[in-house]
Amino acid sequence: MHCPYCRNTDTRVLDSRVTDDGGAIRRRRSCPECEKRFSTVEQMQLVVVKRSGTTEPFARDKAIAGVRKACKGRPVSEDDLSRLGQQVEDVLRVEGWAEVPANEVGLTILGPLRELDEVAYLRFASVYKAFESAEAFEEEIAILRAERAAAAIPPVEPERLVELVETTSSTNNSRSG
Ligand SMILES: [Zn+2]
């Protein structure tokens, strides 16, 4: 570990402690050369297992690439997307995954994405939740509507939702073909 101030290659550990969530170790270090102090965090590497069986380090940008597509034309900012990437990584780390299946990453995205934008959630869910039928997908929409009604939020126009579902399905077909 190089000193970030003078690039000296030798640093001294003053203190080590496990972070509150237990997922990392924070070390307070000092540089014997310039005497400045700094902290490092040692974290278990989170690895994603792809459907093909190959693994790669978890990358927030990659994890939310599909979400970015689903958010096209929606009022979701880049900040929202980075926050979502952070949330997803936090959840996976707290759940203690060392090697997380790619579809599990997708499922973890669903909750926070639903809070962020319902339409983007439906588009994304149609891919990652792998709805077995149009009925299952409609059921999900019905649940969302019921929850909205319970929370007294003005609903999205039903016609608009159907249109979105159709757009999503045709996108899926062209992707798999
Ligand atoms: Zn130094």
Side-chain angles (χ1 to χ4, degrees), residues 29-175:
R29 294 171 185 265
S30 83
C31 171
E33 191 65 32
C34 69
E35 294 184 343
K36 288 220 161 91
R37 293 183 174 194
F38 58 96
S39 297
T40 54
V41 175
E42 193 176 297
Q43 226 166 16
M44 179 157 50
Q45 188 171 34
L46 185 58
V47 171
V48 177
V49 186
K50 296 199 282 188
R51 214 166 290 179
S52 59
T54 58
T55 58
E56 62 182 23
F58 175 88
R60 282 182 210 166
D61 266 4
K62 261 195 176 167
I64 59 164
V67 178
R68 180 172 276 117
K69 273 184 217 162
C71 289
K72 211 175 161 193
R74 300 297 304 161
V76 176
S77 68
E78 275 302 310
D79 279 354
D80 292 332
L81 288 174
S82 348
R83 244 192 317 272
L84 187 120
Q86 167 88 63
Q87 275 176 296
V88 169
E89 181 171 347
D90 288 349
V91 168
L92 293 173
R93 286 193 183 280
V94 168
E95 285 178 354
W97 294 92
E99 291 197 336
V100 60
N103 72 323
E104 191 66 39
V105 177
L107 290 174
T108 306
I109 287 170
L110 290 172
L113 179 58
R114 191 172 139 178
E115 276 169 34
L116 193 59
D117 188 277
E118 208 164 87
V119 171
Y121 160 78
L122 284 171
R123 288 177 183 162
F124 187 82
S126 72
V127 178
Y128 281 89
K129 232 174 174 179
F131 292 109
E132 281 170 14
S133 62
E135 287 76 24
F137 194 65
E138 276 160 21
E139 223 169 83
E140 184 75 15
I141 293 171
I143 291 168
L144 278 177
R145 282 207 192 117
E147 284 177 2
R148 265 176 173 273
I153 302 166
V156 174
E157 290 296 310
E159 295 77 15
R160 180 83 184 117
L161 275 175
V162 170
E163 184 190 313
L164 284 163
V165 172
E166 281 167 359
T167 312
T168 310
S169 325
S170 62
T171 311
N172 291 348
N173 291 344
S174 64
R175 262 169 55 136

Side-chain angles (χ1 to χ4, degrees), residues 2-11 30-38:
H2 289 241
C3 166
Y5 299 100
C6 72
R7 308 300 295 166
N8 180 33
T9 53
D10 181 37
T11 59
S30 83
C31 171
E33 191 65 32
C34 69
E35 294 184 343
K36 288 220 161 91
R37 293 183 174 194
F38 58 96

